[in-house]
Amino acid sequence: MPVRMILDSGQFCPTSTCERFAATAKKRNVPTIQARAGQMFNLGAGVHAEVLHPDQPLLVGTENDLNNSSIVIRLTHGRVSFLFTGDLQ
C-alpha cells in the first residue's frame, strides 16, 4: 500500500526500529509531519482525521515520555468515528 505521509509525535525514539523506520521514510521520500492537537486531515472518500494529542510542548518527565506523547487521532466517516490512542497511558 502506498504511503503518502507519516505523522510523528516528534518525541525522541532511541531504538534501532525507529532509526530504520526513519531511514526508510527518507529513502522513499515520504513526508513526515509532526502531529499536534488540532490538526485536521482530509483523507478522501469522506474520511477525516483529527489529531487530539499530543499538545505542544511534548510531555517531559513522565514515567514514559515516549508513550505519553503518542498520537491520538479521531477518524470520522459520516456518522461513524473511531478513536486511535496509540500507546498513551
Side-chain angles (χ1 to χ4, degrees):
M1 175 179 284
V3 176
R4 295 185 306 201
M5 75 172 168
I6 296 169
L7 288 178
D8 184 79
S9 70
Q11 184 66 266
F12 176 68
C13 179
T15 68
S16 61
T17 301
C18 289
E19 290 173 5
R20 285 193 312 272
F21 180 78
T24 300
K26 184 175 181 178
K27 176 181 168 185
R28 296 184 182 185
N29 295 317
V30 178
T32 299
I33 299 169
Q34 283 197 349
R36 290 297 176 261
Q39 290 172 313
M40 301 285 290
F41 297 93
N42 180 347
L43 303 179
V47 179
H48 296 87
E50 178 183 4
V51 178
L52 303 176
H53 187 76
D55 287 318
Q56 186 68 18
L58 294 174
L59 296 172
V60 176
T62 68
E63 187 173 311
N64 191 336
D65 291 340
L66 187 58
N67 283 356
N68 289 330
S69 292
S70 286
I71 299 170
V72 177
I73 292 181
R74 178 176 36 229
L75 193 68
T76 304
H77 182 259
R79 297 183 348 179
V80 178
S81 293
F82 300 90
L83 184 64
F84 296 92
T85 60
D87 290 333
L88 192 66
Q89 294 181 350

